Protein backbone atom coordinates (compact mmCIF):
# COMPACT_ATOMS: atom_id res chain seq x y z
CA UNK A 1 0.00 0.00 0.00
CA UNK A 2 1.43 3.47 -0.86
CA UNK A 3 2.33 5.74 2.06
CA UNK A 4 1.94 9.51 2.29
CA UNK A 5 4.38 12.06 3.71
CA UNK A 6 3.39 11.40 7.31
CA UNK A 7 3.44 7.61 6.94
CA UNK A 8 -0.33 7.47 6.91
CA UNK A 9 -1.51 4.68 4.60
CA UNK A 10 -2.81 6.32 1.43
CA UNK A 11 -5.59 4.26 -0.08
CA UNK A 12 -6.51 6.76 -2.84
CA UNK A 13 -5.75 5.37 -6.26
CA UNK A 14 -6.37 8.01 -8.95
CA UNK A 15 -6.77 5.38 -11.64
CA UNK A 16 -9.86 3.91 -10.01
CA UNK A 17 -10.90 6.51 -7.43
CA UNK A 18 -11.29 9.49 -9.79
CA UNK A 19 -14.78 9.12 -11.21
CA UNK A 20 -15.49 9.56 -14.93
CA UNK A 21 -15.11 13.23 -15.86
CA UNK A 22 -16.99 13.12 -19.16
CA UNK A 23 -18.07 16.58 -20.27
CA UNK A 24 -16.39 18.34 -17.35
CA UNK A 25 -14.23 21.43 -17.56
CA UNK A 26 -11.37 21.74 -15.07
CA UNK A 27 -8.96 24.54 -14.20
CA UNK A 28 -5.78 23.88 -12.18
CA UNK A 29 -3.52 26.71 -10.98
CA UNK A 30 0.26 26.25 -10.74
CA UNK A 31 -0.14 23.27 -13.04
CA UNK A 32 3.26 23.39 -14.74
CA UNK A 33 4.95 21.34 -12.02
CA UNK A 34 4.50 19.24 -8.89
CA UNK A 35 1.05 18.30 -7.65
CA UNK A 36 -0.72 20.55 -10.16
CA UNK A 37 0.94 18.94 -13.16
CA UNK A 38 0.29 15.46 -11.74
CA UNK A 39 -3.36 16.39 -11.14
CA UNK A 40 -3.72 17.42 -14.80
CA UNK A 41 -2.15 14.12 -15.86
CA UNK A 42 -4.54 12.14 -13.64
CA UNK A 43 -7.63 14.12 -14.68
CA UNK A 44 -6.67 13.69 -18.34
CA UNK A 45 -7.05 9.92 -17.99
CA UNK A 46 -10.75 10.23 -17.04
CA UNK A 47 -12.05 11.82 -20.22
CA UNK A 48 -12.86 15.44 -19.27
CA UNK A 49 -13.97 17.88 -21.99
CA UNK A 50 -11.19 20.38 -21.18
CA UNK A 51 -8.42 20.95 -18.66
CA UNK A 52 -7.09 24.47 -18.33
CA UNK A 53 -3.46 24.27 -17.28
CA UNK A 54 -2.75 27.62 -15.62
CA UNK A 55 0.81 28.76 -14.95
CA UNK A 56 2.58 32.06 -14.51
CA UNK A 57 4.86 31.23 -17.44
CA UNK A 58 3.29 30.13 -20.71
CA UNK A 59 6.58 28.51 -21.76
CA UNK A 60 6.54 26.33 -18.65
CA UNK A 61 2.84 25.59 -19.21
CA UNK A 62 3.57 24.46 -22.77
CA UNK A 63 6.46 22.24 -21.64
CA UNK A 64 4.22 20.61 -18.99
CA UNK A 65 1.42 20.03 -21.49
CA UNK A 66 3.91 18.45 -23.91
CA UNK A 67 5.13 16.11 -21.14
CA UNK A 68 1.58 15.12 -20.21
CA UNK A 69 0.73 14.47 -23.85
CA UNK A 70 3.57 11.97 -24.15
CA UNK A 71 1.55 9.86 -21.66
CA UNK A 72 -1.98 10.90 -22.65
CA UNK A 73 -1.75 11.99 -26.29
CA UNK A 74 -5.33 13.24 -26.53
CA UNK A 75 -5.29 15.18 -23.27
CA UNK A 76 -7.65 18.14 -23.94
CA UNK A 77 -5.35 20.75 -22.41
CA UNK A 78 -5.71 24.50 -22.83
CA UNK A 79 -3.01 26.84 -21.54
CA UNK A 80 -3.74 29.88 -19.40
CA UNK A 81 -1.25 32.50 -18.26
CA UNK A 82 -1.95 33.30 -14.59
CA UNK A 83 0.35 35.09 -12.17
CA UNK A 84 -1.31 35.05 -8.76
CA UNK A 85 0.92 37.86 -7.52
CA UNK A 86 -0.87 40.33 -9.82
CA UNK A 87 -4.57 41.23 -9.74
CA UNK A 88 -4.31 42.39 -13.38
CA UNK A 89 -3.05 38.96 -14.44
CA UNK A 90 -5.81 37.23 -12.45
CA UNK A 91 -8.52 39.45 -13.94
CA UNK A 92 -7.17 38.85 -17.44
CA UNK A 93 -7.05 35.07 -16.94
CA UNK A 94 -10.60 34.99 -15.54
CA UNK A 95 -11.80 37.07 -18.49
CA UNK A 96 -10.17 34.77 -21.04
CA UNK A 97 -11.55 31.67 -19.33
CA UNK A 98 -15.06 33.09 -18.97
CA UNK A 99 -15.14 34.21 -22.61
CA UNK A 100 -14.10 30.78 -23.88
CA UNK A 101 -15.88 28.44 -21.52
CA UNK A 102 -19.54 28.22 -20.56
CA UNK A 103 -18.96 25.90 -17.58
CA UNK A 104 -16.43 25.13 -14.85
CA UNK A 105 -16.79 21.90 -12.90
CA UNK A 106 -13.55 21.71 -10.91
CA UNK A 107 -11.49 24.71 -9.87
CA UNK A 108 -8.30 23.41 -8.26
CA UNK A 109 -6.51 26.16 -6.34
CA UNK A 110 -3.14 24.45 -6.23
CA UNK A 111 -0.38 27.01 -6.88
CA UNK A 112 1.65 27.95 -3.86
CA UNK A 113 4.95 29.20 -2.56
CA UNK A 114 6.51 28.08 0.71
CA UNK A 115 8.78 29.93 3.09
CA UNK A 116 9.62 32.58 0.50
CA UNK A 117 11.81 35.58 1.37
CA UNK A 118 9.93 38.66 2.58
CA UNK A 119 8.25 40.60 -0.18
CA UNK A 120 5.03 42.15 -1.44
CA UNK A 121 2.76 41.30 -4.33
CA UNK A 122 1.91 43.87 -6.99
CA UNK A 123 -1.00 45.15 -4.86
CA UNK A 124 1.13 45.26 -1.71
CA UNK A 125 0.07 42.08 0.07
CA UNK A 126 2.59 40.04 2.05
CA UNK A 127 4.00 37.76 -0.65
CA UNK A 128 2.92 34.31 0.59
CA UNK A 129 -0.49 35.54 1.79
CA UNK A 130 -0.91 37.44 -1.48
CA UNK A 131 -0.14 34.50 -3.78
CA UNK A 132 -1.39 31.52 -1.79
CA UNK A 133 -4.56 33.13 -0.49
CA UNK A 134 -5.48 36.55 -1.98
CA UNK A 135 -4.76 35.54 -5.57
CA UNK A 136 -6.85 32.40 -5.31
CA UNK A 137 -9.65 34.22 -3.47
CA UNK A 138 -9.87 36.81 -6.25
CA UNK A 139 -9.73 34.16 -8.97
CA UNK A 140 -12.55 32.24 -7.27
CA UNK A 141 -14.64 35.39 -6.89
CA UNK A 142 -14.24 36.21 -10.58
CA UNK A 143 -15.11 32.65 -11.62
CA UNK A 144 -18.11 32.30 -9.28
CA UNK A 145 -20.63 33.27 -11.99
CA UNK A 146 -19.51 30.40 -14.27
CA UNK A 147 -19.22 27.99 -11.31
CA UNK A 148 -22.70 28.99 -10.19
CA UNK A 149 -24.17 28.60 -13.69
CA UNK A 150 -22.60 25.15 -13.95
CA UNK A 151 -23.96 24.12 -10.54
CA UNK A 152 -27.45 25.26 -11.56
CA UNK A 153 -27.32 23.77 -15.05
CA UNK A 154 -28.68 20.49 -13.75
CA UNK A 155 -26.63 18.47 -16.20
CA UNK A 156 -23.69 16.59 -14.74
CA UNK A 157 -23.33 19.48 -12.26
CA UNK A 158 -21.36 18.42 -9.20
CA UNK A 159 -19.18 21.55 -9.01
CA UNK A 160 -16.07 21.53 -6.79
CA UNK A 161 -13.61 24.19 -5.62
CA UNK A 162 -10.53 22.37 -4.33
CA UNK A 163 -8.28 24.38 -2.00
CA UNK A 164 -4.84 23.02 -1.16
CA UNK A 165 -3.67 23.91 2.34
CA UNK A 166 -0.77 22.31 4.24
CA UNK A 167 0.05 20.90 7.65
CA UNK A 168 2.21 24.03 7.80
CA UNK A 169 -0.96 25.98 8.71
CA UNK A 170 -0.03 25.08 12.29
CA UNK A 171 2.84 27.61 12.05
CA UNK A 172 0.31 30.47 11.82
CA UNK A 173 0.08 32.79 14.84
CA UNK A 174 -1.63 31.03 17.76
CA UNK A 175 -4.31 33.73 17.84
CA UNK A 176 -5.14 33.18 14.14
CA UNK A 177 -4.75 35.58 11.22
CA UNK A 178 -2.74 38.66 12.18
CA UNK A 179 -4.57 41.31 10.18
CA UNK A 180 -1.87 43.89 10.86
CA UNK A 181 0.63 41.76 8.93
CA UNK A 182 -1.21 41.32 5.65
CA UNK A 183 -0.01 44.43 3.82
CA UNK A 184 3.57 44.54 5.14
CA UNK A 185 6.50 42.22 4.48
CA UNK A 186 5.98 40.71 7.97
CA UNK A 187 9.70 39.88 8.46
CA UNK A 188 9.11 39.41 12.19
CA UNK A 189 6.79 36.44 11.59
CA UNK A 190 9.51 34.39 9.90
CA UNK A 191 9.16 32.59 6.58
CA UNK A 192 7.19 29.65 8.02
CA UNK A 193 4.96 31.90 10.13
CA UNK A 194 3.98 33.78 6.96
CA UNK A 195 3.47 30.49 5.10
CA UNK A 196 1.36 29.10 7.96
CA UNK A 197 -0.80 32.21 8.01
CA UNK A 198 -1.45 31.93 4.28
CA UNK A 199 -2.38 28.25 4.61
CA UNK A 200 -4.63 28.94 7.61
CA UNK A 201 -6.42 31.54 5.48
CA UNK A 202 -6.97 28.87 2.83
CA UNK A 203 -8.59 26.53 5.36
CA UNK A 204 -10.88 29.32 6.57
CA UNK A 205 -11.72 30.16 2.94
CA UNK A 206 -12.67 26.54 2.23
CA UNK A 207 -14.83 26.43 5.35
CA UNK A 208 -16.93 29.44 4.45
CA UNK A 209 -19.98 28.70 2.36
CA UNK A 210 -20.44 30.56 -0.89
N1 LIG B 1 4.38 18.85 -2.00
C1 LIG B 1 3.94 18.67 -0.77
O1 LIG B 1 4.36 17.76 -0.04
C2 LIG B 1 2.86 19.57 -0.23
C3 LIG B 1 2.42 19.39 1.09
C4 LIG B 1 1.41 20.21 1.57
C5 LIG B 1 0.84 21.18 0.76
N2 LIG B 1 1.31 21.35 -0.49
C6 LIG B 1 0.69 22.40 -1.31
O2 LIG B 1 0.35 21.86 -2.58
C7 LIG B 1 0.48 22.85 -3.59
C8 LIG B 1 1.44 22.35 -4.68
O3 LIG B 1 2.67 22.02 -4.08
P1 LIG B 1 3.89 21.43 -4.93
O4 LIG B 1 4.73 20.66 -3.99
O5 LIG B 1 3.38 20.78 -6.17
O6 LIG B 1 4.65 22.79 -5.27
P2 LIG B 1 5.59 23.17 -6.52
O7 LIG B 1 6.09 21.97 -7.23
O8 LIG B 1 6.58 24.15 -5.99
O9 LIG B 1 4.56 23.90 -7.49
C9 LIG B 1 4.00 25.12 -7.13
C10 LIG B 1 3.36 25.73 -8.34
O10 LIG B 1 2.86 27.03 -7.98
C11 LIG B 1 3.28 27.92 -8.99
N3 LIG B 1 3.38 29.32 -8.55
C12 LIG B 1 4.28 29.88 -7.69
N4 LIG B 1 4.08 31.20 -7.64
C13 LIG B 1 3.06 31.49 -8.48
C14 LIG B 1 2.42 32.68 -8.89
N5 LIG B 1 2.80 33.88 -8.43
N6 LIG B 1 1.39 32.60 -9.77
C15 LIG B 1 1.02 31.42 -10.27
N7 LIG B 1 1.60 30.25 -9.96
C16 LIG B 1 2.62 30.29 -9.07
C17 LIG B 1 4.65 27.41 -9.43
O11 LIG B 1 5.01 27.98 -10.67
P3 LIG B 1 6.57 28.19 -11.07
O12 LIG B 1 7.06 26.85 -11.55
O13 LIG B 1 6.51 29.23 -12.15
O14 LIG B 1 7.28 28.66 -9.83
C18 LIG B 1 4.34 25.92 -9.51
O15 LIG B 1 3.68 25.63 -10.70
C19 LIG B 1 1.00 24.11 -2.88
O16 LIG B 1 -0.08 24.96 -2.59
C20 LIG B 1 1.64 23.56 -1.60
O17 LIG B 1 1.65 24.50 -0.55
C21 LIG B 1 2.30 20.57 -1.00
Amino acid sequence: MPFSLFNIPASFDPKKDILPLDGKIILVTGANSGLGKQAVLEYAQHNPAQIWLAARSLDKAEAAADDIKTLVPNAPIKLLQLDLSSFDSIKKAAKIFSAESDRLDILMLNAGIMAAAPGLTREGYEYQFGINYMGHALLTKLLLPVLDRTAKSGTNSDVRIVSISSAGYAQAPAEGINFGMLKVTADSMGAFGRFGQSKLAIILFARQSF
Side-chain angles (χ1 to χ4, degrees):
M1 179 178 287
F3 277 78
S4 69
L5 185 63
F6 301 105
N7 267 353
I8 300 165
S11 60
F12 185 80
D13 176 358
K15 299 274 178 294
K16 63 178 175 59
D17 292 331
I18 295 179
L19 298 176
L21 296 171
D22 302 64
K24 296 203 184 278
I25 296 188
I26 301 166
L27 192 162
V28 183
T29 69
N32 57 284
S33 68
L35 300 182
K37 181 179 172 187
Q38 188 66 29
V40 173
L41 172 63
E42 301 295 348
Y43 288 141
Q45 295 169 73
H46 297 267
N47 202 35
Q50 265 176 13
I51 310 173
W52 288 68
L53 189 164
R56 60 178 159 171
S57 148
L58 271 184
D59 286 345
K60 287 189 196 173
E62 203 168 348
D66 288 348
D67 275 359
I68 292 165
K69 285 181 180 176
T70 60
L71 298 167
V72 186
N74 297 325
I77 294 175
K78 291 191 70 115
L79 307 182
L80 185 64
Q81 206 264 329
L82 171 67
D83 180 351
L84 290 160
S85 72
S86 153
F87 283 5
D88 278 350
S89 173
I90 297 164
K91 287 179 193 163
K92 194 171 160 203
K95 205 167 169 186
I96 291 171
F97 178 87
S98 302
E100 291 189 30
S101 180
D102 59 354
R103 65 183 295 140
L104 178 55
D105 299 274
I106 301 173
L107 172 60
M108 184 169 173
L109 306 172
N110 163 77
I113 54 168
M114 184 173 80
L120 297 174
T121 64
R122 199 78 51 88
E123 281 72 29
Y125 287 94
E126 186 283 307
Y127 205 51
Q128 299 191 71
F129 185 82
I131 291 171
N132 297 350
Y133 173 70
M134 285 301 296
H136 279 139
L138 176 60
L139 180 68
T140 304
K141 181 178 173 182
L142 296 173
L143 294 177
L144 268 184
V146 65
L147 288 160
D148 202 37
R149 270 202 310 281
T150 309
K152 289 178 178 150
S153 70
T155 47
N156 195 14
S157 57
D158 182 16
V159 168
R160 302 294 169 114
I161 301 170
V162 182
S163 291
I164 316 284
S165 185
S166 162
Y169 86 90
Q171 303 295 317
E175 67 278 14
I177 304 292
N178 184 338
F179 288 92
M181 290 289 177
L182 302 185
K183 293 205 87 173
V184 293
T185 54
D187 303 42
S188 62
M189 289 179 72
F192 282 99
R194 296 189 296 273
F195 176 70
Q197 175 158 273
S198 75
K199 290 297 184 179
L200 172 61
I202 287 169
I203 293 173
L204 299 174
F205 179 66
R207 276 195 185 169
Q208 82 174 37
S209 51
F210 286 99

